[in-house]
Amino acid sequence: MPTKPLVFVSLVIFALVVLVSVRNVPDPVVSQGMVAVRRVPVACRAQESPSGLRPIFNRRSALKGVVFGGMSSILANQRAAKADGVDYKAVKADIEDLIRKDMNKGPTLVRLAWHSSGTYDKMSKTGGSGPGTIRFKEELAHGANAGLENPVKWLEPIYKKYGGDISYADLYTLSGVTAIEALGGPSVPWRAGRVDAMDPSAVTPDGRLPAADMGSPKDTAAHLRAIFGRMGFNDQEIVALAGAHALGRGHVDFSGYDGPWTFTPTRFNNAYYDLLYRLDWVPTTTSAGKEQYTDSKTKKLMMLPADLVMIQDPKFRKYSQLYAKDNAKFFADFTKAFQKLEELGTSNLQSVQF
C-alpha cells in the first residue's frame, strides 16, 4: 500500500482513539448559580485579549484541535492537487510526456493556448480562453489559426483519459504553461475552472488576433496596439508577449511565412530580442508571396514585419532593448502577461497544484 494512504488511515484511527478517550475525561466543573461552569486549570488559561475577553480552553477541545488540524492540512493538500476530481499533476505529466517525445510540439501548444485566449474583447466581454471554443471547426477556420487542428488532436487522448473531468479550455491553457516551462521558460501560474461552451455559438468573429503585417511599420504598430488594447494590454505587455516568438517557426503551408525566429526554436529565452538587435535584417518574399525579413548573415532566420516593429517603434523599442539585455526581467514580465492573457474573460477560477 502506498505511504500516503497509510498515513491517512493511521490518522483516522488515531483520531477515533483520542475522541473515545477524551469523551470519558471530564473537565473540572463548579456550580455558579443555575449554570455549570468549567474551571480551567491555570496552566490552560489563555492570556486576556485586548478586548478583555478570556477564551476558555479544555483538554478535549485542545486534543480535537491537534488531531483534526493535522488531518485538515493533509486533506487540503490532497484537494489542492485534485480539485473537482481532476489530478492536474497527472494531466501536466501527460502533456510533458507529449512534448518530451517530440520537442517541436511544445511551441505549437503555446500557440494553441495563446490563440484560444487572444480573442477576448473587454468591451463586449466575449471571447478568451474560458469557453474552449478553439476546438470547433468554425474557429479553427480563422486565418490566424491555420494548423492548430493538429495540437487539438494531440490533446484529445489526454482529454478522454480523464473522462471529460477536465474542460478543453483548462486543458489547452494548461498545455501552454506546461510547454513554456518544459522548454526552459518560467513557471507561469495557472488556475483551473474554465467551463466549455457546448456549441460553436460562442465562437467570436474572425480578425481578433494580431496580423503580421499591415503594410507599413506605423500602421502595423497601430494595429498591434488596437488588437492588444482591446484585450487590455499596454505597450510593455505587448512587447513581453511578443517574446514567445523565441519558440517555433513559420510554416509556409500554414501562414505563408517560412523559417524559425531563433537558432533555438525549442528553447524559451530572450534570444528573440537579442537577435532583433544584433543581426541585420533584409526584406525577402516567401514562396507563398508573403513579405518577411531574413538575417543577412546566415539567411536561416526570419522575422515578421510585426517583429521588426518591436525595434522600429520608439515606445516598443525601449522594452525590447531591456529584454535583450535582461533575461530575468523578460521572464518576470512575460509570466505576468501570459497569465493575464490566459485568464481574460474567465471567472471563478481556483488555484490548484499542478
Side-chain angles (χ1 to χ4, degrees):
M1 182 180 290
T3 303
K4 287 185 179 178
L6 274 175
V7 173
F8 180 74
V9 171
S10 299
L11 276 171
V12 172
I13 294 173
F14 176 66
L16 292 173
V17 171
V18 171
L19 289 177
V20 170
S21 299
V22 300
R23 185 174 181 180
N24 296 316
V25 180
D27 291 311
V29 177
V30 297
S31 177
Q32 185 174 346
M34 299 295 293
V35 182
V37 179
R38 299 188 185 277
R39 179 180 292 156
V40 183
V42 174
C44 295
R45 292 178 186 169
Q47 293 297 315
E48 204 167 84
S49 69
S51 65
L53 299 177
R54 188 192 305 276
I56 296 179
F57 299 104
N58 57 56
R59 283 168 291 182
R60 187 182 304 169
S61 61
L63 283 169
K64 286 181 180 178
V66 171
V67 173
F68 289 109
M71 291 176 64
S72 297
S73 177
I74 291 176
L75 290 172
N77 287 335
Q78 290 179 338
R79 284 194 297 269
K82 193 174 182 181
D84 295 332
V86 182
D87 186 342
Y88 291 102
K89 287 186 176 181
V91 178
K92 181 182 180 183
D94 287 335
I95 297 169
E96 289 172 333
D97 186 56
L98 182 70
I99 297 169
R100 194 161 36 246
K101 290 176 180 176
D102 184 353
M103 296 295 286
N104 289 306
K105 288 183 176 179
T108 310
L109 292 174
V110 176
R111 180 171 170 244
L112 176 69
W114 208 118
H115 285 216
S116 71
S117 306
T119 58
Y120 181 66
D121 178 10
K122 66 181 182 181
M123 297 300 293
S124 64
K125 308 296 183 185
T126 57
S129 69
T133 53
I134 202 166
R135 72 190 192 276
F136 294 123
K137 59 182 177 56
E138 288 82 357
E139 188 162 334
L140 287 171
H142 292 176
N145 292 335
L148 288 181
E149 67 276 5
N150 293 320
V152 168
K153 291 176 183 176
W154 302 337
L155 293 172
E156 186 64 20
I158 298 177
Y159 176 81
K160 290 181 178 178
K161 176 179 178 179
Y162 295 92
D165 287 336
I166 185 172
S167 66
Y168 282 109
D170 275 349
L171 180 59
Y172 298 157
T173 50
L174 179 57
S175 75
V177 300
T178 299
I180 289 167
E181 183 178 353
L183 300 176
S187 297
V188 179
W190 178 85
R191 298 190 294 168
R194 295 165 184 79
V195 180
D196 290 330
M198 292 297 100
D199 60 67
S201 62
V203 172
T204 56
D206 194 0
R208 288 195 177 186
L209 294 170
D213 184 13
M214 296 302 290
S216 71
K218 181 179 179 181
D219 290 341
T220 301
H223 166 75
L224 292 177
R225 288 191 172 97
I227 291 291
F228 283 90
R230 187 204 70 230
M231 292 185 272
F233 289 112
N234 59 30
D235 283 357
Q236 174 260 315
E237 292 168 317
I238 294 172
V239 179
L241 288 171
H245 277 175
L247 300 175
R249 59 176 294 131
H251 295 270
V252 70
D253 51 339
F254 291 151
S255 64
Y257 297 100
D258 190 27
W261 284 269
T262 72
F263 293 110
T264 54
T266 58
R267 192 71 183 168
F268 192 95
N269 51 37
N270 66 338
Y272 167 78
Y273 307 103
D274 179 58
L275 294 171
L276 271 171
Y277 280 100
R278 279 201 303 111
L279 300 184
D280 180 38
W281 298 95
V282 296
T284 57
T285 303
T286 70
S287 60
K290 294 283 189 177
E291 299 293 326
Q292 66 177 40
Y293 291 83
T294 301
D295 75 290
S296 61
K297 185 176 182 180
T298 71
K299 296 181 172 56
K300 293 181 178 180
L301 302 180
M302 76 95 185
M303 290 285 173
L304 304 172
D307 295 317
L308 265 293
V309 166
M310 295 298 119
I311 61 175
Q312 292 168 334
D313 182 271
K315 293 181 179 179
F316 288 155
R317 183 167 58 242
K318 68 177 182 178
Y319 297 112
S320 297
Q321 289 174 330
L322 173 63
Y323 297 148
K325 297 175 182 177
D326 192 338
N327 189 61
K329 176 62 174 171
F330 164 53
F331 272 28
D333 288 353
F334 178 85
T335 296
K336 294 175 184 177
F338 198 79
Q339 181 185 10
K340 176 179 174 178
L341 173 69
E342 288 204 324
E343 294 189 356
L344 291 173
T346 61
S347 60
N348 302 317
L349 297 184
Q350 57 180 323
S351 296
V352 296
Q353 293 180 8
F354 67 97

